Amino acid sequence: MAHNHHRHIGPVALMLTGLGSIIGSGWLFGAANAAKIAGPAAIFAWLAGMVIILAIALTYAELGTMFPETGGMVRYARYSHGSLLGFMAGWANWIAIVAVIPIEAEASVQYMSSWPWPWAQALYHNNELSSTGLMIAAVLVLGYFLLNYWSVRLFTKANNAITVFKVIVPAATVGGLMYSGFDTGNFSSNVPGGFAPFGWSSVMTAVATSGIVFSFNGFQSPINMAGEARNPGKSIPFGVVFSILLAAAIYVMLQVAFIGALRPSDLVHGWQGINFGSPFAQLSMALGLNWLALTLYFDAFISPSGTGAAYMASTARMIYAMERNGTMPKIFGHIHPLYHVPRPAMWFNLAIAYIFLFFFRGWGTLAAVISVATVISYLTGPISVAALRRVAPDLARPLKLKGMGLITPFAFVCASLVLYWARWPLTGQIIFLIVAALPVYFWYQAKAGWPDFASEVKGALWMMLYLPVMALLSYIGSKEFGGNNTLPYGVDMVVVVLISLGFYVWGARSGWHTRYLAQEHDAEAVAALHAESH
């Protein structure tokens, strides 16, 4: 258990890992999607997304330094509230991450669709991939699978080079578009409706569904690598905060460059009429920046493939961790003796990735699904921090932020608002996906003889009621967010804030010093101390 020998990753390396994970396919489409939903006010959607994700990330940074384990994101809720809440959080996180595998393949194919050949242009139309486009995406997903099937080493060597490329190309895109064709009139006077043509509610919907939450999702990487970080108390918050701030700066500049580069012909049908298969590449070609268009086509293949292959690896480890938690079939705990890869878990994820690929046939629709599932998986972070500060005050906390008493409720309320902003019926559909997995948990509990069942339910009851209540609020909410307008605009958000604060208090109070904390974490600490003394 002596993992101290492997603590070799410093703060800058962690930050670069975070930045490399955050900048995936989100930047290729996020600006166009957000502008379509919110017009020029989309700039504020990125800033709001940054604040919300920062608050959530800070709660996970404290957890990551307390439990520096690989893949910790699926285990924290189990430590603070027991296995039922741990299962729900892990399941939501897994859905959000396994769906990234097909979305990265869709991103590459969507960018191919504006290549100057007739066969390429037939790959994507009416906001979804054609049958041929789907087949190419399916082959790409298989490629990510095969990259991980024999070894992870091949992938890690390629990843460092890809990260550098991921930062240089967006920077070149911003520079090229701003230098060649920047029309300040696009920010208010050229198009009816001015700066916020669809009102401020559209800015909130853009945060939730245009791919903004999705685009920041990679902040988890430095936290999941806490087990290998040097001086986790300093290097993890540095890596997390600065990767989010740098990514936000890049995203805001991309959004400004995108809006400024649009020509009158792109805006003939207003903001909602913006129609690009591969937004930045098509703008570059229209402005005569062929070098930039070629770079973007290359990057649209390289960057998403790096992310897709990485997520194929991490999702397999998540299923393996869920098997260790006793909530997945034993076969998923099988590691290949020669290649040290959990192959049965990889086959399972490949099948699920194909289901997502064939049901959600465009980057935009799948990004919205991932964003909502991600937000649901984030809800337990602030609650776990608050509960553990109460029930386990003596646990070592290398990072103990001042003001966490304000950050945790703020992060929880923000996550609840994003969930609400995602609009009915999408909110209801994803909540159903999460709740539908509960029979799996109860099946495994029954097989194990219902150990400590009352405590497990007590620890998770707030979440089991929170999700249906949020679905109901979404249904009766204002028409601006897809509801039936029983709660008018403005009142609806006040109600969401108050109800989510109530659930926050309940959730924070329902944690206890679980046996998992005693068995797994305390046992690891003892083993590490024992290893150090020898």
Side-chain angles (χ1 to χ4, degrees), residues 420 424 471-489 492:
Y420 176 71
W424 183 266
L472 176 67
L473 286 176
S474 184
Y475 177 67
I476 64 170
S478 62
K479 62 180 187 297
E480 281 81 353
F481 297 111
N484 64 15
N485 220 30
T486 306
L487 295 173
Y489 179 62
D492 55 346

Side-chain angles (χ1 to χ4, degrees), residues 2 28 62 84 134 176 241 267 272 302 340 342 411 443 516 520:
L28 294 167
E62 178 164 317
L84 177 50
L134 271 182
V241 170
L267 292 167
Q272 286 169 332
I302 297 293
H340 309 292
W443 160 257
Y516 309 105
E520 296 168 24

Side-chain angles (χ1 to χ4, degrees), residues 142-456:
L142 187 63
Y144 307 157
F145 173 81
L146 294 174
L147 262 178
N148 283 287
Y149 197 67
W150 287 284
S151 167
V152 184
R153 287 202 185 111
L154 174 69
F155 160 70
T156 41
K157 280 180 185 156
N159 197 40
N160 296 339
I162 290 172
T163 299
V164 175
F165 199 69
K166 280 179 172 185
V167 178
I168 290 171
V169 177
T173 304
V174 170
L177 293 183
M178 284 187 161
Y179 180 74
S180 307
F182 195 79
D183 187 346
T184 51
N186 287 351
F187 290 85
S188 59
S189 53
N190 287 358
V191 187
F195 185 73
F198 311 115
W200 290 98
S201 63
S202 67
V203 175
M204 299 161 201
T205 297
V207 173
T209 61
S210 72
I212 290 177
V213 168
F214 167 76
S215 295
F216 280 111
N217 197 12
F219 82 80
Q220 298 181 34
S221 287
I223 294 163
N224 279 332
M225 293 170 73
E228 294 129 83
R230 267 201 320 266
N231 190 355
K234 288 202 170 74
S235 54
I236 288 174
F238 177 89
V240 169
V241 170
F242 280 96
S243 62
I244 292 172
L245 292 177
L246 279 173
I250 292 169
Y251 287 144
V252 168
M253 289 191 297
L254 282 162
Q255 185 69 64
V256 171
F258 176 82
I259 292 168
L262 292 169
R263 298 149 303 156
S265 58
D266 299 321
L267 292 167
V268 165
H269 301 294
W271 293 101
Q272 286 169 332
I274 293 174
N275 189 16
F276 291 116
S278 40
F280 285 114
Q282 284 166 279
L283 278 181
S284 305
M285 286 172 77
L287 293 168
L289 300 170
N290 292 343
W291 63 271
L292 183 57
L294 283 172
T295 310
L296 282 160
Y297 286 134
F298 182 63
D299 184 57
F301 205 75
I302 297 293
S303 288
S305 297
T307 309
Y311 278 64
M312 184 65 87
S314 57
T315 46
R317 281 154 189 77
M318 286 171 86
I319 292 291
Y320 169 72
M322 285 159 94
E323 186 278 330
R324 277 178 58 212
N325 289 350
T327 50
M328 274 282 175
K330 282 272 178 279
I331 187 170
F332 293 135
H334 180 70
I335 299 269
H336 193 278
L338 179 61
Y339 298 114
H340 309 292
V341 178
R343 280 188 172 177
M346 283 181 64
W347 280 109
F348 176 67
N349 284 330
L350 181 67
I352 301 296
Y354 279 143
I355 291 170
F356 274 113
L357 180 66
F358 289 107
F359 273 100
F360 303 100
R361 299 170 64 149
W363 189 91
T365 46
L366 197 44
V369 171
I370 294 172
S371 299
V372 180
T374 303
V375 166
I376 293 173
S377 74
Y378 289 162
L379 289 164
T380 55
I383 299 280
S384 289
V385 170
L388 287 168
R389 282 202 170 187
R390 187 176 59 79
V391 301
D394 50 340
L395 268 182
R397 286 175 172 79
L399 169 70
K400 190 170 184 183
L401 289 175
K402 290 182 175 67
M404 194 53 95
L406 292 173
I407 294 170
T408 47
F410 176 73
F412 186 82
V413 168
C414 283
S416 303
L417 282 168
V418 173
L419 186 54
Y420 176 71
W421 296 340
R423 298 174 62 88
W424 183 266
L426 180 66
T427 39
Q429 290 162 348
I430 311 300
I431 285 169
F432 175 75
L433 257 186
I434 309 299
V435 177
L438 286 176
V440 176
Y441 172 82
F442 291 125
W443 160 257
Y444 281 102
Q445 279 289 308
K447 276 177 69 174
W450 306 103
D452 220 1
F453 187 64
S455 300
E456 303 287 7

Side-chain angles (χ1 to χ4, degrees), residues 88-103:
M88 291 174 81
W91 183 260
N93 202 330
W94 171 74
I95 285 178
I97 287 182
V98 78
V100 171
I101 300 166
I103 203 176

